[in-house]
Amino acid sequence: MSNFSRRSFIKIAGAAGAATALGSLAYAPRARAAGGHVVVIGGGFGGASCAKYLRRADSGIKVTLIEKQKEFITCPFSNLVLGGLKQMDDITHKFDTLQKKYGVDVVHDTVTEIDPAGKSVKLKSGKSIKYDRLVVSPGISLKWGSIEGYDEKAAEIMPHAWKAGAQTVLLRKQLEAMKDGGVVVMASPPNPFRCPPGPYERASMIAHYLKKHKPKSKILILDAKDKFSKQGLFQAGWQQHYPGMIEWVAGAKGGVVKAVDTKKMIVDALDKHKADVANVIPAQAAGKIAIKAGLADDKGWCPVDPKTFESQKHPGIHVIGDASIAGAMPKSGFAASSQGKICAAAIVAMMRGKTIADVSYVNTCYSIVAPKHGISVAAVYRVTDKGIVAVQGAGGVSPADAPAAFREEEYKYTYGWYDSITADIWG
Ligand SMILES: Cc1cc2nc3c(=O)[nH]c(=O)nc-3n(C[C@H](O)[C@H](O)[C@H](O)COP(=O)(O)OP(=O)(O)OC[C@H]3O[C@@H](n4cnc5c(N)ncnc54)[C@H](O)[C@@H]3O)c2cc1C
């Protein structure tokens, strides 16, 4: 794609949030109400999008959204909190609009069991709720024990901060308390994982903070992989803004972290690395409830029909977002929201006994390397007999040789993207 058309694409994609993936849904006639009850588990990027767009498409459908947290804190921009460019309040969203404006019945509780045969879910509070169709968007679970010594208790000393909230605050506090000249050791997870560029944006934002406040400090990224998303762009950005501060070690060169010792603050890869602050991001799988309900395969992710996101394990249940296996789509908030909307359209069509339209999905992942320096990767996806595949020539990665003004524009688009997608989902 030429720079011009790519820029136009990401501008449109950024401005419109995930709206380009709406397909038939935005224009679905509201006249014939489908009725019925859809329960959605998880009020994050996938679930909240799906709940809202179900109600927008057909206000005759009762939608119950079950979310364990009272407020949703986004992982997108949580790296900016670490870098000091944003505060926790800026990334915290309420469910009031979904409830009051769109008539979604929001229940704050935890789903402890799914009964696919009886079509009901059981809640921690003891209640059971019946559904006609169920949407499961629980995000990820962390594979405790995939790194020896790394469990929930260890995460209180070496935070993963891969679910935004208390872990983000903890990591930020540790960075603030670290001495100048300290070493931040990051462990980056194996594929597939939530937000492929996330660990490298995080290193950039931590470097931004350290450069300003503790310039003698270093960041060591120990990676389970041999390459990563937008690698050339990140590494060029690090060279430009933080020369000598960030070292990245590929998996094949000794980056695979095998164990941690939280008492001695050692991160053990090929060599033992002493950390002043350790950010350990372990391997991941679908959210616990999806695994417990038998929706996942033996690798821990949920196979689905690429057009409807209906589970291949349990008909009548749809799995969207990070928990699903979505072909070439990355595990991102943008992708989850796009899937939530398409899934809503499919459910309405199924409940009305209509055929399901051809669909396309879209994703853009923006990352901030430094203030006024944004980069992105964008793609459009279609469903083929090979599943969800990227459309050749649509999208692309920021050019390597772009001038500073281009990086600054992408930096602004990043903020525009965040504002529009969060307003679309929870605003
Ligand atoms: C540091 C970082 C930066 C990121 N940056 C970006 C970015 O810039 N752009 C982007 O597009 N993506 C980004 N992502 C990825 C994005 O956060 C995820 O892909 C997205 O949140 C996935 O949406 P989801 O609906 O699958 O899960 P989530 O958004 O995590 O939502 C899942 C919800 O389900 C709830 N839940 C789980 N189990 C239950 C249960 N049993 N009962 C009730 N509720 C339950 C959880 O409380 C949670 O609120 C980033 C991720 C990280 C870690």
Side-chain angles (χ1 to χ4, degrees), residues 163-322:
K163 293 185 183 188
Q167 281 274 305
T168 317
V169 174
L170 177 62
L171 182 54
R172 168 76 193 179
K173 280 197 178 138
Q174 290 184 348
L175 292 168
E176 284 170 358
M178 190 180 85
K179 64 175 190 285
D180 189 8
V183 179
V184 179
V185 179
M186 290 180 64
S188 188
N191 290 321
F193 66 103
R194 157 178 281 185
C195 195
Y200 316 99
E201 181 189 62
R202 174 168 293 175
S204 309
M205 286 294 89
I206 293 176
H208 168 69
Y209 168 74
L210 296 177
K211 181 181 169 182
K212 223 166 145 187
H213 300 282
K214 300 158 197 209
K216 287 186 254 159
S217 308
K218 295 255 181 289
I219 301 168
L220 175 67
I221 309 170
L222 299 169
D223 211 320
K225 306 173 292 298
D226 291 333
K227 54 182 186 183
F228 61 86
S229 173
K230 295 182 267 187
Q231 182 166 351
L233 292 168
F234 273 115
Q235 288 180 321
W238 295 343
Q239 189 56 38
Q240 181 186 340
H241 299 286
Y242 320 112
M245 188 179 261
I246 303 176
E247 185 188 347
W248 173 74
V249 183
K253 299 264 168 70
V256 181
V257 173
K258 294 172 292 193
V260 293
D261 181 337
T262 51
K263 285 209 179 81
K264 294 186 181 146
M265 287 300 284
I266 298 282
V267 181
D268 193 357
L270 188 63
D271 299 315
K272 289 187 192 307
H273 301 275
K274 176 94 176 81
D276 293 286
V277 171
N279 170 215
V280 177
I281 309 164
Q284 293 150 38
K288 265 191 218 151
I289 188 67
I291 294 175
K292 191 175 175 197
L295 292 161
D297 66 10
D298 56 357
K299 293 202 175 75
W301 302 103
C302 305
V304 293
D305 177 317
K307 239 173 133 175
T308 61
F309 279 74
E310 186 166 19
S311 164
Q312 290 179 8
K313 301 271 182 184
H314 290 304
I317 301 180
H318 301 251
V319 185
I320 56 174
D322 288 354

Side-chain angles (χ1 to χ4, degrees), residues 52-107:
K52 171 179 163 179
Y53 279 84
L54 276 164
R55 291 283 304 165
R56 267 191 58 171
D58 191 333
S59 57
I61 299 177
K62 179 176 160 62
V63 178
T64 305
L65 175 66
I66 307 168
E67 165 56 55
K68 57 183 161 192
Q69 303 173 96
K70 286 261 153 64
E71 292 179 324
F72 185 77
I73 302 172
T74 63
C75 284
F77 275 22
S78 63
N79 286 333
L80 276 64
V81 172
L82 299 175
L85 300 182
K86 285 277 173 193
Q87 302 297 316
M88 288 303 283
D89 276 355
D90 301 325
I91 62 168
T92 303
H93 302 272
K94 295 187 188 311
F95 294 97
D96 296 2
T97 306
L98 277 175
Q99 179 118 26
K100 290 184 188 143
K101 187 166 172 195
Y102 295 101
V104 174
D105 189 8
V106 181
V107 175

Side-chain angles (χ1 to χ4, degrees), residues 46 105 128 140 169-170 237 241 262 298 324 333 343 361 384 399 408:
D105 189 8
S128 281
I140 52 154
V169 174
L170 177 62
H241 299 286
T262 51
D298 56 357
S324 67
C343 178
Y361 303 92
T384 69
E408 192 171 344

